[in-house]
Amino acid sequence: MNKIILISLMVFLSSCTSPNVNVNNYTLSIAFENKRTINAYGSKSFQRQIDLSNIKIYQYVYTMDNGLIITYEDAIVAAKYKLNYGMSKIIDIIFTDYNVKKINYNGNTYFFKLTNYHETLYLIVSNIKYKRLKLIYGFNRKTFESLYNAIINGNDNIILKKLTKNKRVLVANPVSYINSSWNQKNITLDRILTKTSPSLYK
């Protein structure tokens, strides 16, 4: 049975705000400091976990009633390690099949446009002290621009409406909506991780 989920993005304006993202079986919620929200409904279509050296990546695909297929990835770095590069380079390594353009950022939240010959991805990334990355993509241009304006400019609340009252989008191969390329090469050759200072653990 398909369960209903609610995505609530409480959008922040403070440059020092860190997002609080929680995922359970049927709900993805992203909370920031103020009460500006973006709402949509759907269900979780797929999830998996990737274990690499000193980093775990949790991947989820959500099928939304408004017709979008949203992918959420949560990459958590092990103790005594951190991400080694700036966000543009990290995204370029993770999304090897795309040209990466950073549009803007606000505090620890970044906006990217990824393109190749086949498609354009609009990506929102939260960088939590280089110890954790939270990535959300799958938005169309209109939805992405609404999210961007809400976060950067503090626009009013946004509601992502259903396609029809009862229609649900069916996805035959939800894993195909995961566009990142996490693998051991990211660690050994690309050196996406580096050890933190030993003094932090004394």
Side-chain angles (χ1 to χ4, degrees), residues 51 96 130 133 188 194 197:
D51 296 323
T96 55
Y130 287 86
L133 283 185
T188 55
T194 186
S197 170

Side-chain angles (χ1 to χ4, degrees), residues 13 28 41 69 71 85 111 115-116 122 139 177:
L13 301 177
L28 165 63
Y41 295 88
I69 310 298
T71 302
Y85 305 117
F111 300 85
T115 58
N116 60 22
Y122 296 99
F139 311 105
Y177 290 88

Side-chain angles (χ1 to χ4, degrees), residues 6-167:
L6 168 66
I7 296 185
S8 296
L9 289 86
M10 293 185 175
V11 183
F12 74 104
L13 301 177
S14 170
S15 62
C16 62
T17 301
S18 295
N20 178 21
V21 178
N22 296 301
V23 178
N24 62 32
N25 285 340
Y26 310 115
T27 305
L28 165 63
S29 63
I30 304 170
F32 297 94
E33 264 187 6
N34 72 8
K35 300 201 182 214
R36 192 167 286 110
T37 64
I38 300 152
N39 295 327
Y41 295 88
S43 62
K44 185 173 67 177
S45 300
F46 179 82
Q47 74 176 71
R48 72 179 176 191
Q49 177 179 329
I50 299 174
D51 296 323
L52 301 174
S53 298
N54 300 304
I55 189 170
K56 293 181 183 293
I57 303 97
Y58 302 89
Q59 300 176 320
Y60 306 84
V61 178
Y62 289 91
T63 304
M64 309 309 300
D65 281 353
N66 69 344
L68 297 179
I69 310 298
I70 301 298
T71 302
Y72 165 64
E73 303 191 36
D74 189 0
I76 302 174
V77 179
K80 301 187 180 181
Y81 285 85
K82 66 178 182 178
L83 295 163
N84 194 26
Y85 305 117
M87 282 301 102
S88 292
K89 185 168 183 178
I90 289 172
I91 297 304
D92 190 55
I93 291 172
I94 296 171
F95 291 87
T96 55
D97 295 332
Y98 295 86
N99 296 314
V100 175
K101 178 183 179 182
K102 185 174 76 175
I103 298 173
N104 205 343
Y105 71 98
N106 188 331
N108 65 353
T109 299
Y110 295 75
F111 300 85
F112 289 93
K113 181 180 180 180
L114 312 181
T115 58
N116 60 22
Y117 291 110
H118 307 291
E119 63 182 336
T120 298
L121 292 181
Y122 296 99
L123 169 68
I124 300 175
V125 180
S126 290
N127 168 29
I128 314 300
K129 298 181 180 179
Y130 287 86
K131 294 288 294 180
R132 187 173 187 177
L133 283 185
K134 300 176 180 183
L135 306 96
I136 304 175
Y137 54 93
F139 311 105
N140 57 30
R141 180 175 177 178
K142 181 179 179 180
T143 304
F144 179 80
E145 288 177 350
S146 296
L147 294 170
Y148 176 86
N149 288 329
I151 294 173
I152 295 296
N153 301 321
N155 285 3
D156 292 335
N157 296 353
I158 300 168
I159 298 177
L160 306 181
K161 296 181 180 179
K162 294 183 180 182
L163 288 175
T164 63
K165 184 175 181 180
N166 297 313
K167 183 176 180 180

